[in-house]
Amino acid sequence: MVDADYYALLGVAPDASAEEIKKAFRRLTLEFHPDRHAGDAAAEERYRQINVAYATIGDAAARVRYDAMRRLPQIDLSRGFDAKSARDLLGNVFGDVFGTRRSQRRRGRDLRYTLTVSFVQAVLGSQHLVEFEAPGPCEDCGGRGARAGGKPAEACSVCAGRGEVKGDGLFARRTRCGRCDGTGMIHPDPCASCRGIGSRRANRSFDVKIPPGTPAGAERVVAGQGEPGRFGGEPGDLRITVNVRPHPRLVRDGDDIRCDAHISITEAVRGAQVSVPTVDGDVVLEVPAQIRSGTKMRLRGRGVPKGDGRKRGEPPRGDQLVTVLVETPSSSDPRLADILAQLEGASVELGALPRRASERAVAAEPGDPSDIEHA
Ligand SMILES: [Zn+2]
Ligand SMILES: [Zn+2]
């Protein structure tokens, strides 16, 4: 999505006109056309990327969406959000403008978000537009809560800055101060938009990157992207939990992926080409002749990307293990029973069932009840 800079790919400025983009595209497709670079994989890839870029920013509507995506805050879950810069930024915004004690600063609450991704997206990595409604900093006062040019926050006069008040009577409990909502601070000149709270509900959007090999239930903390703090307090964190939808046929097993492939008796005897789903799309598995049910076949490199995938001498991905299962025909039709009896007769005659024959040799006498009782 916004992984690649389509403007840079076409060598134009982000504010280039549609005409400029079209010109750049024409020039580059001529330059990198496969006809002029036969067998040059790098040129071929470049040609592909140029076309992908133009399909987006060469289309007016798609370009508007792409530009909007580029402006979103990016969260790369493989690296984690840069918490330090977020805190520094907020520190600069708030600084000590209130002149209040640190204890009066209120940290914002954490936000939780469950991001559901497909099995393939979790294995190969993916990028997601995450949108939800939650309190964010009030735009009119920059989260300060005070009106522009208004007086700074001061201690609440009702609770004398303590945030709680004591009722009447000997055993009266302390209760939360209603005037300052327990913060101990009051804005004498509150911002009209947020009534001094400093935050307002808004649509929050993030561009979240799921790294390859993300396990189900993985949780990442994006520091500083929760609800805004009050009176100079730090914002809360955004906690993203990754929920992985199960695949109808693929199951993850560490760095490997497992699946079953069903073949018929005839295919087991003759060998077969079986289409098997992988995270890269369907592949054709060559099942050799005379295979036994339960045999595992390995599709190398079709598993989960390992670590950073850059270690020397180590395959960058796990494997896919396919268990080949021979299906027993299930029908009570006597014709099928006849055909199978013929098959068995011929097999014994040809010596094609050597193990079956050797078991027969030591089998119990006919009529022995142990023949049928195997509970
Ligand atoms: Zn108060
Ligand atoms: Zn405000």
Side-chain angles (χ1 to χ4, degrees), residues 1 6 53 60 64 68 77-78 91 107 109 127 138 146 150 192 198 281:
M1 282 185 278
Y6 292 158
V64 168
L77 290 189
S78 55
R107 186 180 183 276
R109 281 186 302 183
Q127 208 160 354
C138 169

Side-chain angles (χ1 to χ4, degrees), residues 35-332:
D35 289 353
R36 299 175 65 174
H37 302 272
D40 182 349
E44 220 169 82
E45 175 60 17
R46 186 76 199 275
Y47 182 77
R48 192 188 65 79
Q49 289 176 349
I50 291 162
N51 277 282
V52 168
Y54 186 69
T56 300
I57 62 171
D59 176 273
R63 187 181 176 186
V64 168
R65 280 196 302 276
Y66 174 72
D67 287 348
M69 280 290 280
R70 271 162 63 93
R71 281 193 294 270
L72 294 178
Q74 285 218 15
I75 298 173
D76 186 342
L77 290 189
S78 55
R79 264 169 251 147
F81 194 73
D82 192 350
K84 196 172 162 290
S85 66
R87 293 235 156 89
D88 282 354
L89 180 73
L90 286 149
N92 288 339
V93 170
F94 292 108
D96 256 309
V97 287
F98 303 115
T100 54
R101 292 196 306 273
R102 195 156 276 275
S103 62
Q104 280 159 334
R105 299 179 177 181
R106 288 286 162 134
R107 186 180 183 276
R109 281 186 302 183
D110 289 349
L111 292 174
R112 284 173 193 281
Y113 186 88
T114 302
L115 175 61
T116 300
V117 302
S118 72
F119 181 85
V120 174
Q121 287 172 329
V123 168
L124 296 181
S126 49
Q127 208 160 354
H128 304 266
L129 176 64
V130 161
E131 280 181 304
F132 53 86
E133 206 196 272
C138 169
E139 282 170 13
D140 291 337
C141 62
R144 287 177 181 82
R147 190 162 53 79
K151 283 189 214 150
E154 57 188 36
C156 169
S157 56
V158 172
C159 62
R162 279 190 289 271
E164 48 182 26
V165 285
K166 202 168 174 257
D168 295 331
L170 193 56
F171 300 106
R173 284 189 316 180
R174 292 181 174 278
T175 52
R176 188 186 177 86
C177 172
R179 179 156 185 256
C180 63
D181 196 21
T183 61
M185 299 292 290
I186 280 289
H187 284 290
D189 289 320
C191 161
S193 305
C194 64
R195 298 193 306 278
I197 294 166
S199 66
R200 287 175 76 186
R201 282 192 86 75
N203 285 315
R204 313 276 308 268
S205 309
F206 300 93
D207 177 16
V208 178
K209 203 172 186 176
I210 298 284
T214 296
E219 195 197 59
R220 292 298 160 101
V221 178
V222 186
Q225 292 296 320
E227 293 191 10
R230 292 184 69 178
F231 304 108
E234 280 185 0
D237 299 332
L238 171 61
R239 291 168 178 271
I240 298 178
T241 305
V242 180
N243 176 37
V244 181
R245 269 197 303 273
H247 190 279
R249 288 188 58 192
L250 303 177
V251 176
R252 187 166 167 184
D253 181 4
D255 288 333
D256 293 332
I257 290 172
R258 292 182 183 274
C259 81
D260 292 342
H262 294 90
I263 58 170
S264 69
I265 292 179
T266 318
E267 286 173 324
V269 174
R270 281 188 195 152
Q273 293 190 326
V274 183
S275 177
V276 173
T278 75
V279 291
D280 308 301
D282 291 355
V283 300
V284 174
L285 181 69
E286 291 278 351
V287 176
Q290 289 146 44
I291 197 166
R292 283 187 205 160
S293 192
T295 303
K296 287 189 175 58
M297 295 185 67
R298 190 179 290 270
L299 290 167
R300 268 189 206 288
R302 296 287 186 183
V304 181
K306 293 181 181 182
D308 58 6
R310 285 188 291 269
K311 267 187 197 157
R312 258 165 207 270
E314 208 191 14
R317 284 173 66 177
D319 301 328
Q320 180 164 327
L321 299 166
V322 184
T323 306
V324 179
L325 297 171
V326 179
E327 280 205 287
T328 308
S330 55
S331 163
S332 55

